[in-house]
């Protein structure tokens, strides 16, 4: 996950199986859940997409997701945690805000400008 941030469980499972052929997908999920619970990795849950995992934790960053190809980039917060403030904290001691920005990545923008409107630009990266 250090070399391939924003990886999903099936991609992690494929990498693990190359090293440990007897590994199971359930074992990968169990380990991902345990590592997330103790804060060693972070789970990202873009709406309508599978969960993604990364090792970048504890630094108050957010994510940008391409609506077309699903590529994810990190983006640093412009301030201190949490970098957003709710209208009311309801008595909570808020220490984190989770933000996912959505848009269209440069590769997909370029593909769209070179193709006819309405064509599928799946996996344009």
């Amino acid at each position: 996950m250090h070399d391939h941030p924003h990886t999903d469980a099936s991609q992690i499972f494929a990498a693990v199986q190359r090293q440990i052929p007897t590994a199971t997908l359930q074992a990968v999920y169990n380990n991902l859940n345990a590592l997330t619970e103790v804060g060693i990795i972070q789970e990202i849950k873009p709406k309508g997409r599978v969960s993604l995992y990364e090792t970048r934790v504890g630094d108050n960053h957010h994510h940008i997701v391409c609506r077309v190809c699903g590529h994810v980039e990190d983006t640093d917060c412009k301030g201190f945690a949490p970098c957003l403030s709710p209208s009311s904290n309801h008595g909570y001691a808020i220490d984190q805000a989770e933000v996912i920005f959505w848009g269209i990545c440069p590769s997909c923008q370029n593909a769209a400008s070179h193709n006819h409107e309405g064509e599928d630009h799946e996996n344009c990266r």
Side-chain angles (χ1 to χ4, degrees):
M1 284 187 285
H2 285 290
D3 295 332
H4 302 284
H6 315 123
T7 305
D8 67 37
S10 64
Q11 294 168 316
I12 294 168
F13 175 58
V16 168
Q17 262 201 325
R18 285 192 291 276
Q19 299 295 318
I20 308 169
T22 58
T24 65
L25 183 57
Q26 186 60 52
V28 168
Y29 274 113
N30 291 345
N31 281 284
L32 289 171
N33 289 334
L35 293 169
T36 300
E37 281 182 28
V38 297
I40 294 173
I41 64 171
Q42 178 175 332
E43 180 180 15
I44 307 157
K45 299 178 185 181
K47 182 180 177 185
R49 312 278 171 111
V50 298
S51 289
L52 304 173
Y53 300 90
E54 67 179 349
T55 57
R56 185 176 173 187
V57 296
D59 67 350
N60 197 40
H61 74 281
H62 303 299
H63 299 94
I64 303 173
V65 180
C66 179
R67 291 184 186 281
V68 179
C69 69
H71 183 73
V72 179
E73 293 284 350
D74 290 331
T75 185
D76 293 325
C77 185
K78 294 175 86 177
F80 300 99
C83 63
L84 298 176
S85 299
S87 60
S88 172
N89 66 9
H90 299 279
Y92 285 67
I94 297 173
D95 61 10
Q96 180 181 358
E98 185 174 316
V99 176
I100 297 179
F101 297 95
W102 293 86
I104 300 174
C105 73
S107 294
C108 290
Q109 290 175 51
N110 190 37
S113 70
H114 289 95
N115 291 311
H116 295 91
E117 261 188 55
E119 285 189 20
D120 186 10
H121 303 291
E122 186 176 333
N123 300 321
C124 57
R125 280 203 155 265

